[in-house]
């Protein structure tokens, strides 16, 4: 072996170790060579013959067999580490006698950035090659001088496991016999400057439990039992169906529970309260629990804090079998700088943008993806598909979309460069989001995507091929979080009722744009942390008034056009901010706690809201149609009252009336459509069972021929203090 080749091989900077190791033609037969550091002797065994290889130094062993290359049978290596024959011996197939295990089509699609099942090509995959069981390792590191595999199977010494480069694809590959599921591994990467870095697998489908960081070879054996759910989902039309979401941080919902233990409690709890879906805060692996999962290092691996990937599948399956859909927060906007993860992965800005000003996220101390690079887009688009297909996730809520869309996001003058047209729009991010949505909806048509987009970007939920006034096609999301509604309505509710008349527009403005997008109304984790206080603690007044405001607001939210999302703990009026360290204050619902009835009353209201919501098509069937809504009273600022109608596709109405003042209003007249003579109160947030004062309209209310609110007939109602009423016509 030429000295230079030998030196590169030993240094882990050789692009083609298979050209040096394994079996090769020689002048006197075939040359067999292997690299086994620390071995005392290596013997080749094939069929009925054995041949001991010569020690060539530096862990290299080789020999010449007087045979034709095509006549050498499949052989094994007997490697002795002990001083005496038979002492500390292992027998294994030679990794360097196997051809590449990744096909040309895979490499072509990777090179094109169009491999929609990238997780099947890259990463660690147990398989059998030529009747030999082992694991194929593949990784994309186009600028590496060499890549080797280190793991618990080689005592974390990568010297004997150099990978081969598969040409211009930038992919490195090696099949290691005898390595199976559960093995720990990382990639030893020789950077362009010759230094080495030990990195986790970006495509790892399982990881060690933090703070440990190794990737884990994974092979799923899970058998799904949710076919009934998937069949029903295939016929769903989410915009015209009920969608009531309970947002959950899995590690803290019931601290200490595993995925499988959560499966025994979470579906039952959510189903009892009537929510149709859960939304899980990021599940992908992350090193710092205090990030709540929003700083991801293992994009293809469910966090090992709660169990193995198949355990997470079990939880999703259990939710589906309980009739609960599963949405998941997905974070393609940025990633952390941990030196063992994605940052400068092969010694160059690979996943992050090469321009430091574009790579550094100004708010979070993280790195932004280079969305103009096709392989990076492929990594993320395939990841979105992966969660939907491999874990049966019903939808993705995409985090921090606004930070992706604008080149000047949180950047001042001189800190950003305009796009090719002189604008501040990030054209690469727009193209990525369109591709992601189009791919997910094509491959998983019954799944949904939702954008956390906090600006007025036009066409977030418009189809990608429909070009708007700004010249952009729609982003293609199914839903958008209505951050404007959330901000304005909470600002209104935080005011003392005596001042609310001066802020009435904050309550009604959302209807000016309610049909510009397909909206979800979120009261999420972001609104109950970092000094923002819990939902009930935002409300003014004493404890009774705070709870009354809380209940009235929830009923307003459930009746407002758009789907709704509520973060855990707010369903029973938790007074403290959420903490990921201890989760919701479940002790508030302990019957021995004196104020338990107050908290149980709010939870009973949430159950009633969902029950009535599911039974009332007017509240969800025309969420995306202006004809599904009509104001009855929008300008009664002096009385802090709003009233509106929701209509089902068949015209059946529901009347929602909110009295956001602490005053009981007798005989309050509201116009209603003709044709429905008698209306019945179906929900009253002031009911005694919810902790209210018991004021309301116990008997059905008859429409009278007295014009009001633009209608020829009207109802004379009793409006409870700080309360919301829902009324429906009797049949």
């Amino acid at each position: 072996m030429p000295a230079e080749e030998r030196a590169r091989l030993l240094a882990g900077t050789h692009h083609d170790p298979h050209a040096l190791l394994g079996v090769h033609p020689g002048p006197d037969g075939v040359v067999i060579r292997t690299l086994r550091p620390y071995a005392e002797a290596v013997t080749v065994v094939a069929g009925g013959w054995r041949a001991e290889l010569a020690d060539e130094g530096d862990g290299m062993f080789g020999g010449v067999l007087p045979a034709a290359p095509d006549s050498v049978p499949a052989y094994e290596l007997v490697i002795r580490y002990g001083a005496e024959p038979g002492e500390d011996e292992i027998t294994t197939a030679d990794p360097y006698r196997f051809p590449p295990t990744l096909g040309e089509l895979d490499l072509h699609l990777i090179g094109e950035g169009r491999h929609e099942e990238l997780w099947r090509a890259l990463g660690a995959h147990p398989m059998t090659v030529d009747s030999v069981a082992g694991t194929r390792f593949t990784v994309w590191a186009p600028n590496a001088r060499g890549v080797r595999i280190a793991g618990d199977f080689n005592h974390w010494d990568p010297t004997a496991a150099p990978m081969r480069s598969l040409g211009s694809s930038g992919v490195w590959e090696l099949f290691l016999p005898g390595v199976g599921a559960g093995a720990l591994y990382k990639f030893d990467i020789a950077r362009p400057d010759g230094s080495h870095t030990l990195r986790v697998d970006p495509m790892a489908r399982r990881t060690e439990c933090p703070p440990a960081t190794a990737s884990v070879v994974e092979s799923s054996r899970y058998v799904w039992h949710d076919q009934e759910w998937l069949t029903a989902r295939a016929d769903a039309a989410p915009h015209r169906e009920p969608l009531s979401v309970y947002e959950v941080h899995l590690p803290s919902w019931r601290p200490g529970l595993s995925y499988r233990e959560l499966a025994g409690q979470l579906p039952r709890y959510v189903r009892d309260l009537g929510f149709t879906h859960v939304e899980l805060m990021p599940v992908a692996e992350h090193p710092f629990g205090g990030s709540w999962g929003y700083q991801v290092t293992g994009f293809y691996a469910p966090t090992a804090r709660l169990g193995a990937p198949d355990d997470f599948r079990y939880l999703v399956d259990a939710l589906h079998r309980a009739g609960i859909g599963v949405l998941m927060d997905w974070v393609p906007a940025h990633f952390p700088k941990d030196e063992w993860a994605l940052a400068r992965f092969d010694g160059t800005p690979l996943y992050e943008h090469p321009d430091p000003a574009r790579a550094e996220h100004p708010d979070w101390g993280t790195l932004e993806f280079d969305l103009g690079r096709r392989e990076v887009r492929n990594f993320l688009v395939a990841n979105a598909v992966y969660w939907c297909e491999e874990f049966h996730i019903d939808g993705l809520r995409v985090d921090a979309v606004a930070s992706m869309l604008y080149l000047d996001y949180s950047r001042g003058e001189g800190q950003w460069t305009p796009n090719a047209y002189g604008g501040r729009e990030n054209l690469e991010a727009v193209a990525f989001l369109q591709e992601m949505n189009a791919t997910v909806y094509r491959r998983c048509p019954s799944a949904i995507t939702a954008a956390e987009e906090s600006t007025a970007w036009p066409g977030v939920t418009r189809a990608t091929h429909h070009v708007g006034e700004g010249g952009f096609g729609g982003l293609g999301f199914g839903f958008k979080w209505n951050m404007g509604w959330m901000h304005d309505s909470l600002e209104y509710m935080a005011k003392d009722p005596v001042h609310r008349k001066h802020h009435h527009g904050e309550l009604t403005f959302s209807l000016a744009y309610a049909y510009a997008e397909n909206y979800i109304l979120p009261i999420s984790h972001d609104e109950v942390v970092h000094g923002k206080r819990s939902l009930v603690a935002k409300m003014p007044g004493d404890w009774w008034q705070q709870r009354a405001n809380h209940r009235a607001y929830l009923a307003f939210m459930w009746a407002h056009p758009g789907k709704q999302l509520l973060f855990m703990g707010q369903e029973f009026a938790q007074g403290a901010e959420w903490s990921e360290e201890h989760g919701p204050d479940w002790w508030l619902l302990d019957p021995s706690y004196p104020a338990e009835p107050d908290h149980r009353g709010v939870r009973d209201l949430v159950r009633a809201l969902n029950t009535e919501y599911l039974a009332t098509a007017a509240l969800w069937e025309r969420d995306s149609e202006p004809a599904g809504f009509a104001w009855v009273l929008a300008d009664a600022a002096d009385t802090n009252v709003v009233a509106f109608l929701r209509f089902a596709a068949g015209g059946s109405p529901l009347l929602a009336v909110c009295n956001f003042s602490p005053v009981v209003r007798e005989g309050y007249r509201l116009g209603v459509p003709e044709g429905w003579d008698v209306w019945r109160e179906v929900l009253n947030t002031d009911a005694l069972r919810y902790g209210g004062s018991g004021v309301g309209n116990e008997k059905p209310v008859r429409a009278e021929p007295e014009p009001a609110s633009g209608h020829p007939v009207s109802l004379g109602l009793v409006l409870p203090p700080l309360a919301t009423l829902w009324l429906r016509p009797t049949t």
Side-chain angles (χ1 to χ4, degrees):
M1 184 185 299
E4 182 184 354
E5 299 283 284
R6 179 188 184 97
R8 289 172 57 203
L9 182 64
L10 292 173
T13 58
H14 204 290
H15 72 285
D16 189 12
H18 290 70
L20 307 177
L21 303 175
V23 176
H24 299 282
D28 301 316
V30 294
V31 176
I32 296 182
R33 184 175 287 111
T34 185
L35 178 59
R36 293 289 168 171
Y38 315 114
E40 294 291 333
V42 178
T43 301
V44 177
V45 178
W49 55 266
R50 299 169 61 93
E52 185 169 342
L53 301 181
D55 187 345
E56 300 178 349
D58 298 319
M60 202 84 70
F61 294 83
V64 178
L65 300 179
D70 57 1
S71 67
V72 177
Y75 63 93
E76 293 183 314
L77 303 175
V78 179
I79 305 162
R80 174 166 60 84
Y81 292 96
E84 302 296 330
E87 183 181 352
D88 292 332
E89 284 187 348
I90 62 169
T91 300
T92 180
D94 184 0
Y96 298 93
R97 73 173 176 84
F98 295 95
T101 54
L102 200 61
E104 289 298 323
L105 179 58
D106 285 316
L107 293 175
H108 172 76
L109 292 173
I110 291 171
E112 291 289 318
R114 296 289 182 181
H115 203 310
E116 295 177 2
E117 296 181 356
L118 190 65
W119 68 92
R120 301 188 190 278
L122 298 182
H125 291 270
M127 59 177 56
T128 299
V129 180
D130 294 340
S131 301
V132 176
T135 294
R136 179 190 73 197
F137 293 89
T138 48
V139 64
W140 179 62
N143 301 302
R145 293 180 60 187
V147 182
R148 302 180 293 187
I149 304 168
D152 57 358
F153 42 82
N154 60 14
H155 304 286
W156 296 99
D157 183 344
T159 307
M163 305 175 75
R164 65 177 144 207
S165 170
L166 298 180
S168 61
S169 67
V171 174
W172 299 75
E173 179 266 355
L174 181 64
F175 174 74
L176 283 183
V179 176
L184 307 181
Y185 70 100
K186 288 185 178 181
F187 294 114
D188 174 79
I189 296 175
R191 295 179 278 211
D193 64 2
S195 63
H196 285 255
T197 179
L198 198 60
R199 298 295 178 125
V200 297
D201 183 356
M203 302 293 301
R205 290 168 292 125
R206 185 176 178 183
T207 69
E208 279 191 293
C209 184
T213 60
S215 302
V216 182
V217 177
E218 168 67 3
S219 181
S220 175
R221 297 183 178 180
Y222 191 74
V223 178
W224 289 91
H225 300 90
D226 63 347
Q227 190 56 50
E228 183 178 346
W229 168 266
L230 296 180
T231 300
R233 192 185 76 176
D235 297 326
H239 303 100
R240 298 190 296 274
E241 294 185 355
L243 186 68
S244 184
V245 185
Y246 183 63
E247 188 188 24
V248 178
H249 179 250
L250 282 177
S252 69
W253 186 73
R254 293 281 190 180
L257 296 190
S258 67
Y259 290 127
R260 289 185 178 264
E261 291 167 335
L262 285 164
Q265 297 188 31
L266 183 61
R268 183 170 61 248
Y269 183 81
V270 175
R271 184 172 184 174
D272 174 65
L273 291 184
F275 289 97
T276 65
H277 290 70
V278 294
E279 181 173 309
L280 307 179
M281 290 169 66
V283 174
E285 193 59 273
H286 50 283
F288 176 46
S291 77
W292 314 328
Y294 289 99
Q295 295 193 7
V296 179
T297 51
F299 281 81
Y300 284 78
T303 179
R305 291 170 174 85
L306 308 182
D310 277 354
D311 298 328
F312 179 59
R313 288 182 173 92
Y314 182 86
L315 172 59
V316 175
D317 204 354
L319 286 160
H320 282 172
R321 284 182 281 123
I324 306 299
V326 182
L327 312 178
M328 188 187 84
D329 280 11
W330 186 57
V331 191
H334 64 125
F335 59 94
K337 298 178 180 178
D338 300 80
E339 61 181 10
W340 44 266
L342 292 183
R344 297 187 66 86
F345 182 75
D346 63 0
T348 67
L350 191 62
Y351 288 90
E352 65 269 39
H353 201 282
D355 180 354
R358 290 278 302 273
E360 186 82 17
H361 196 290
D363 290 342
W364 304 319
T366 53
L367 297 171
E368 298 184 14
F369 282 102
D370 181 4
L371 298 176
R373 184 162 190 164
R374 60 181 180 271
E375 297 94 341
V376 174
R377 288 199 309 271
N378 193 174
F379 173 80
L380 292 171
V381 170
N383 187 245
V385 174
Y386 169 77
W387 289 102
C388 294
E389 293 190 355
E390 290 292 321
F391 292 94
H392 293 196
I393 296 297
D394 300 292
L396 301 172
R397 175 266 195 185
V398 183
D399 183 63
V401 170
S403 75
M404 303 169 69
L405 289 174
Y406 298 98
L407 295 169
D408 63 344
Y409 185 88
S410 288
R411 293 177 171 92
E413 186 176 351
Q415 297 178 324
W416 62 282
T417 302
N419 63 34
Y421 304 101
R424 65 189 185 114
E425 300 85 1
N426 186 338
L427 304 180
E428 297 163 349
V430 171
F432 159 69
L433 292 169
Q434 291 174 329
E435 180 183 352
M436 181 277 297
N437 281 309
T439 304
V440 168
Y441 277 111
R442 173 169 48 80
R443 292 188 63 113
C444 313
S446 55
I448 63 173
T449 61
E452 186 210 17
E453 202 286 301
S454 55
T455 74
W457 183 279
V460 172
T461 59
R462 190 172 64 233
T464 57
H465 60 281
H466 288 171
V467 178
E469 294 180 2
F472 292 100
L475 296 183
F477 284 94
F479 290 95
K480 172 181 174 174
W481 273 25
N482 195 335
M483 311 295 282
W485 170 88
M486 175 275 297
H487 180 270
D488 290 348
S489 62
L490 288 181
E491 281 288 314
Y492 174 86
M493 293 303 300
K495 306 297 182 185
D496 187 282
V498 73
H499 300 302
R500 283 176 175 168
K501 65 180 179 179
H502 304 297
H503 300 271
H504 197 71
E506 294 175 4
L507 197 65
T508 60
F509 178 63
S510 59
L511 269 303
Y513 61 87
Y515 300 100
E517 305 279 3
N518 303 319
Y519 282 118
I520 291 175
L521 312 178
I523 299 299
S524 73
H525 63 278
D526 274 333
E527 310 318 315
V528 295
V529 291
H530 298 327
K532 295 180 183 178
R533 298 175 295 174
S534 69
L535 182 58
V536 72
K538 296 177 192 290
M539 304 300 173
D542 59 21
W543 175 232
W544 189 95
Q545 291 173 321
Q546 284 183 310
R547 287 183 292 117
N549 276 297
H550 183 104
R551 295 191 305 266
Y553 180 70
L554 290 180
F556 166 70
M557 172 182 174
W558 255 250
H560 191 285
K563 315 305 181 182
Q564 61 274 346
L565 175 144
L566 188 66
F567 183 59
M568 64 184 193
Q570 313 316 301
E571 77 274 17
F572 56 84
Q574 173 173 315
E577 285 189 336
W578 168 64
S579 164
E580 78 277 0
E581 295 181 354
H582 62 74
D585 291 334
W586 296 109
W587 56 269
L588 296 172
L589 296 168
D590 187 328
S592 64
Y593 176 59
E596 181 269 344
D598 298 344
H599 298 279
R600 176 168 39 83
V602 174
R603 189 169 67 170
D604 287 346
L605 171 68
V606 170
R607 183 186 296 108
L609 286 171
N610 279 325
T611 300
E612 193 61 36
Y613 171 77
L614 291 171
T616 307
L619 290 174
W620 41 261
E621 198 170 35
R622 303 174 80 181
D623 264 329
S624 300
E625 303 173 31
F629 175 89
W631 278 115
V632 172
L633 194 62
D635 58 357
D638 287 342
T639 58
N640 297 349
V641 174
V642 293
F644 52 87
L645 290 159
R646 299 294 308 279
F647 297 97
S652 177
L654 177 135
L655 174 64
V657 187
C658 305
N659 177 19
F660 288 119
S661 68
V663 178
V664 177
R665 303 193 182 278
E666 301 278 355
Y668 202 92
R669 194 151 294 279
L670 293 170
V672 292
E674 290 184 290
W676 290 280
D677 295 333
V678 180
W679 294 68
R680 179 173 59 89
E681 187 179 277
V682 295
L683 186 131
N684 179 349
T685 65
D686 192 51
L688 291 172
R689 60 183 175 277
Y690 306 138
S693 61
V695 175
N697 304 270
E698 294 183 6
K699 296 180 179 179
V701 181
R702 183 169 294 277
E704 299 173 336
E706 185 173 340
S709 314
H711 292 278
V713 298
S714 59
L715 305 177
L717 298 174
V718 176
L719 304 188
L722 299 174
T724 294
L725 304 177
W726 291 358
L727 297 100
R728 286 192 307 192
T730 60
T731 56

